[in-house]
Amino acid sequence: MANTKSSKESRCLALWSRSLGIKEAFIYPNGITGRMLGIMMTHLYNIPIHYIDDSSPESSLQAHAKTLRERQITVLVPRSPYNEQTADVLCAKLQALRIAYNDKALEECALQTIAAIDALLCKRQKPTIAIEMTGLADDKHIGLIDLDLLSRNADVQILYLCALPETLAKVRAQVENRLNCLVFALPCFYFHRLSSVQALIKTSMVYATKNPDVPTFYLGHALVNWTNYSHEKLDLLYRDFHDYACVAGEDFLPNSYEDCYLPSGYLGFDRIAPDVSSETFAPRKIVLFAPYNMDEMWKMFGLIKAALSEREGIYDVRLRVRYRNVSEPSSHWDSEGMAQILAQLSHYPNFSIDENEHIVPQSYNETFCCVCGATTMCYTYPLLALRPSIVLADGAHVLPSVFGIVLETSAEAQFMEILNDVYTKQETWHSTLLQYRKQKIYHFGRASAWLADFVLKKLGL
């Protein structure tokens, strides 16, 4: 839906739904895809949505079966390319209970959403650039590209395509008072059916299909190393997925399709760069531990205690616990196990924890190394903090030496030897990483502006 200035457009959609005779919808089950279907139907038709879900007796299919049959209600099953087997099971349950169902509802509603988008864009007659909003990491991967596009051309409008209901609500709140912004929910596997936009900017690589008539830009997550992709893979991506892809730095450029890979830099750095990365060296004493999930937490537990106990508390420890206080992906964390760990660590006066939704700038500015797993953190932390990563990984993981050290064991003695060496060589690491960032990383802190200029020039805007 458009912002508050688009109430007329909302009324048009409501009138459309009444003309189709749609009064309510029953969706089975209440998962991510089901909620996406529900939010699209709410937007299009402004009708009550009822979710059926077997997670509780009260909301189960069995509990609703008699009413559904008596009222001759057709239950909507949100089948997608991502959940074919699950959809088959649900349809079989409905069929066994003699309940009518429609398992093409997600695609039908997505196409109706696209038709509504086409109608609005045709009415507005403005060049439109669509941006995918996955909701992951608060969509930090888009950087400031939307704002930079809007600031450079007053005639351009942004169409935000949201992948989750929660994302939809958050984006609507963010753009409520902005001109030239539209917000819709639309699953990413239907983006290729959208033809009324001038360009599409994507951050996910799910269900790689592109519309050949819409220039598609892939931003990527953090420092995507395109040198790891074979020529065949690059050929497939160019043919089916994107026209252009952003590259963070010189060392990440592929060896073929050079014209398709843009030296933009990583856009996600633009949001935090002003608050971190002082080029002036100052010694630090805090070790940042950043486990991705519970398995990594247990691997780091002994190392954390060793660092806290070293030489009468010479080191402070800050634990970065990602996702622990949000519902998804909740499976990453075992609350009972974390309670046991924190009960032991909280007794140390030199221990602190960063449980914010997003890592705070202080965790970059005040730490001298980051102990993490084989995630993008091992690349992004060194470039923001100008300090190395110590990566807990097996021998299969290769980390360029400029970014830090791979530790193939969780033995405390070996870890402390490496930690002490990093601590004494902080200034060397700072100097090396600062030089690397200046020479090898494209447009640090300005990647969104560079890409906005490129996109607008490419589109003749």
Side-chain angles (χ1 to χ4, degrees), residues 163-176:
L164 295 172
E166 296 81 0
T167 309
L168 184 73
K170 184 177 289 187
V171 174
R172 279 178 175 169
Q174 290 173 346
V175 307
E176 183 177 7

Side-chain angles (χ1 to χ4, degrees), residues 89-164:
V89 171
L90 300 176
C91 291
K93 287 184 178 181
L94 289 160
Q95 192 169 9
L97 291 169
R98 294 177 288 111
I99 298 171
Y101 65 86
N102 175 8
D103 65 343
K104 299 186 183 301
L106 186 70
E107 181 177 9
E108 292 169 355
C109 197
L111 294 180
Q112 290 164 4
T113 297
I114 290 171
I117 292 172
D118 289 343
L120 291 180
L121 298 189
C122 180
K123 179 181 178 181
R124 288 190 169 202
Q125 291 291 304
K126 285 178 175 286
T128 303
I129 298 172
I131 300 178
E132 178 185 24
M133 307 294 283
T134 64
L136 295 175
D138 198 31
D139 286 296
K140 68 178 181 181
H141 303 298
I142 74 166
L144 305 173
I145 184 64
D146 51 344
L147 299 177
D148 280 317
L149 287 166
L150 291 170
S151 68
R152 280 160 169 72
N153 189 322
D155 292 328
V156 166
Q157 65 183 357
I158 302 297
L159 169 63
Y160 298 91
L161 300 174
C162 301
L164 295 172

Side-chain angles (χ1 to χ4, degrees), residues 132-429:
E132 178 185 24
M133 307 294 283
T134 64
L136 295 175
D138 198 31
D139 286 296
K140 68 178 181 181
H141 303 298
I142 74 166
L144 305 173
I145 184 64
D146 51 344
L147 299 177
D148 280 317
L149 287 166
L150 291 170
S151 68
R152 280 160 169 72
N153 189 322
D155 292 328
V156 166
Q157 65 183 357
I158 302 297
L159 169 63
Y160 298 91
L161 300 174
C162 301
L164 295 172
E166 296 81 0
T167 309
L168 184 73
K170 184 177 289 187
V171 174
R172 279 178 175 169
Q174 290 173 346
V175 307
E176 183 177 7
N177 296 314
R178 290 184 200 165
L179 296 174
N180 294 340
C181 291
L182 297 168
V183 186
F184 276 82
L186 186 68
C188 60
F189 26 85
Y190 299 111
F191 285 178
H192 65 288
R193 308 292 290 270
L194 188 63
S195 59
S196 54
V197 297
Q198 278 60 56
L200 170 65
I201 296 174
K202 284 180 60 66
T203 56
S204 73
M205 202 177 276
V206 180
Y207 301 106
T209 303
K210 71 175 182 181
N211 186 328
D213 298 323
V214 177
T216 301
F217 298 80
Y218 175 62
L219 301 184
H221 290 201
L223 309 184
V224 179
N225 191 347
W226 296 104
T227 64
N228 294 332
Y229 288 69
S230 66
H231 177 81
E232 292 74 18
K233 179 67 172 179
L234 292 171
D235 182 64
L236 175 67
L237 289 173
Y238 176 71
R239 186 177 69 247
D240 295 338
F241 181 67
H242 63 65
D243 298 290
Y244 302 96
C246 293
V247 182
E250 181 180 316
D251 291 340
F252 304 99
L253 277 170
N255 297 318
S256 56
Y257 286 94
E258 291 87 348
D259 292 342
C260 306
Y261 290 84
L262 306 178
S264 62
Y266 172 48
L267 278 66
F269 284 155
D270 297 355
R271 294 189 181 187
I272 195 170
D275 299 320
V276 301
S277 304
S278 171
E279 296 186 5
T280 303
F281 172 77
R284 305 169 181 175
K285 60 175 292 186
I286 302 176
V287 186
L288 180 65
F289 284 83
Y292 181 74
N293 55 27
M294 205 62 210
D295 287 341
E296 290 188 0
M297 183 70 254
W298 283 116
K299 288 179 182 178
M300 294 182 188
F301 183 41
L303 307 182
I304 292 173
K305 291 195 293 183
L308 288 168
S309 304
E310 178 71 3
R311 288 189 283 174
E312 299 181 355
I314 187 174
Y315 301 132
D316 290 350
V317 166
R318 179 169 298 156
L319 176 62
R320 166 64 181 163
V321 189
R322 186 186 187 196
Y323 291 140
R324 195 167 82 92
N325 289 330
V326 296
S327 58
E328 295 175 8
S330 57
S331 58
H332 283 203
W333 301 104
D334 166 22
S335 57
E336 184 176 341
M338 279 302 300
Q340 295 175 12
I341 289 172
L342 294 178
Q344 294 188 51
L345 297 180
S346 60
H347 295 298
Y348 290 90
N350 49 340
F351 173 77
S352 62
I353 187 167
D354 174 3
E355 288 188 293
N356 294 283
E357 183 178 356
H358 312 294
I359 190 166
V360 295
Q362 291 91 324
S363 289
Y364 292 111
N365 294 333
E366 299 172 356
T367 57
F368 72 88
C369 75
C370 175
V371 184
C372 58
T375 65
T376 55
M377 186 78 166
C378 66
Y379 294 97
T380 56
Y381 173 86
L383 293 173
L384 290 169
L386 300 177
R387 299 295 194 279
S389 296
I390 299 177
V391 182
L392 303 184
D394 55 35
H397 183 73
V398 178
L399 180 74
S401 59
V402 69
F403 291 104
I405 302 160
V406 176
L407 181 64
E408 297 181 17
T409 174
S410 56
E412 295 171 15
Q414 185 176 349
F415 168 72
M416 290 309 303
E417 182 179 344
I418 292 174
L419 185 67
N420 291 334
D421 184 69
V422 169
Y423 177 73
T424 58
K425 296 178 179 177
Q426 287 187 60
E427 190 165 8
T428 300
W429 280 105

